[in-house]
């Protein structure tokens, strides 16, 4: 799972060019998703198109390197929160973090929601890691009685993907993501007046 890392034998100038391409690609994919052409990424990176193709022969290969880094950061954050003293707060903190990330980054929607690209073993593995970490956050919050017990990980991920898509547009309404997030989190919480059971569903697995 090290596809985004350059080979140790790569020359220093080649490493710098590769890093510039990845930096430009991260910004381009975050704003435009997979629609941005490789030639445009080369222009933003200040390198020739041939340099991009030498390091990343296809757009899919470049996208994979970018998204692996981004999703691994999400995995690390989720795993760190699985040992938090307040499971409910940890769960909702992560949900809010993912929503904020996706609000400005179309590449996360492409990766988590299905973008038509070929799913490699690396991407499949890191997405499984993310699902597993979020499932643990969900299960802990449910055991603590903070999240309704009739929601599983499949339900949650479908809800999050829908939230990402709904809040990722360019109409200038900067408060939309926050309002939608509030409604989503209120729907996930156990209501004292509803009498819902807070028994865990083991993350829906």
């Amino acid at each position: 799972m090290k596809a985004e890392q350059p080979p140790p034998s790569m020359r220093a100038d080649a490493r710098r060019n590769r890093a510039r391409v990845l930096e430009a690609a991260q910004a381009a994919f975050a704003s435009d998703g997979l629609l941005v052409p490789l030639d445009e990424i080369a222009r933003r990176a200040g390198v020739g198109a041939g340099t991009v193709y030498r390091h990343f022969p296809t757009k899919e290969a470049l996208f994979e390197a970018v998204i692996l880094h981004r999703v691994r950061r999400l995995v690390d954050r989720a795993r760190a929160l699985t040992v938090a003293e307040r499971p409910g707060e940890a769960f909702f903190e992560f949900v809010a973090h993912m929503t904020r990330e996706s609000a400005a980054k179309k590449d996360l929607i492409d990766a988590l929601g299905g973008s038509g690209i070929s799913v490699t073993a690396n991407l499949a593995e890191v997405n499984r890691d993310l699902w597993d970490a979020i499932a643990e956050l969900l299960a802990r919050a449910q055991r603590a009685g903070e999240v309704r017990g009739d929601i599983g990980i499949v339900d949650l991920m479908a809800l999050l993907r829908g939230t990402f898509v709904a809040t990722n547009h360019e109409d200038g309404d900067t408060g939309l993501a926050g309002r939608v997030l509030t409604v989503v989190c209120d729907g996930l919480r156990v209501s004292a007046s509803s009498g819902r059971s807070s028994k865990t569903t083991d993350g829906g697995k």
Side-chain angles (χ1 to χ4, degrees):
M1 285 184 51
K2 300 295 182 183
E4 83 280 15
Q5 297 296 328
S9 59
M10 186 179 291
R11 296 194 321 269
D13 59 339
R15 284 174 176 269
R16 286 193 295 271
N17 283 339
R18 188 180 190 278
R20 290 168 67 182
V21 170
L22 277 174
E23 182 178 357
Q26 287 177 19
F29 286 141
S31 61
D32 301 326
L34 283 174
L35 296 177
V36 61
L38 286 181
D39 287 352
E40 171 61 16
I41 291 172
R43 187 192 67 77
R44 296 188 187 192
V47 301
T51 298
V52 176
Y53 285 102
R54 277 195 298 275
H55 291 289
F56 307 100
T58 66
K59 185 187 293 185
E60 286 79 5
L62 179 54
F63 180 79
E64 176 179 335
V66 169
I67 207 64
L68 276 173
H69 174 71
R70 228 185 261 289
V71 178
R72 281 184 185 139
R73 289 178 62 186
L74 287 174
V75 172
D76 291 343
R77 189 181 183 105
R79 285 175 173 168
L81 288 171
T82 60
V83 296
E85 292 184 2
R86 298 178 180 274
E89 289 184 9
F91 171 78
F92 288 111
E93 175 186 330
F94 187 76
V95 168
H97 175 70
M98 282 195 72
T99 302
R100 288 192 300 268
E101 283 284 291
S102 71
K105 296 180 174 65
K106 293 182 180 179
D107 54 357
L108 276 180
I109 296 174
D110 286 339
L112 300 175
S115 59
I117 68 169
S118 175
V119 178
T120 67
N122 281 340
L123 282 176
E125 184 176 349
V126 76
N127 272 301
R128 282 195 299 271
D129 290 344
L130 181 61
W131 277 53
D132 288 346
I134 297 175
E136 177 60 22
L137 287 175
L138 173 62
R140 292 183 77 242
Q142 288 173 323
R143 288 194 294 268
E146 300 289 338
V147 174
R148 52 191 293 174
D150 58 346
I151 295 293
I153 184 59
V154 174
D155 308 313
L156 176 63
M157 295 304 285
L159 179 62
L160 290 178
R161 283 196 298 268
T163 302
F164 299 161
V165 173
T167 58
N168 189 282
H169 56 82
E170 302 175 358
D171 67 352
D173 187 352
T174 57
L176 177 63
R179 296 195 301 273
V180 172
L181 176 63
T182 297
V183 173
V184 168
C185 289
D186 285 348
L188 288 169
R189 296 181 195 278
V190 170
S191 172
S193 63
S194 68
R196 290 193 187 103
S197 170
S198 61
K199 294 175 65 178
T200 181
T201 59
D202 292 329
K205 292 187 172 182

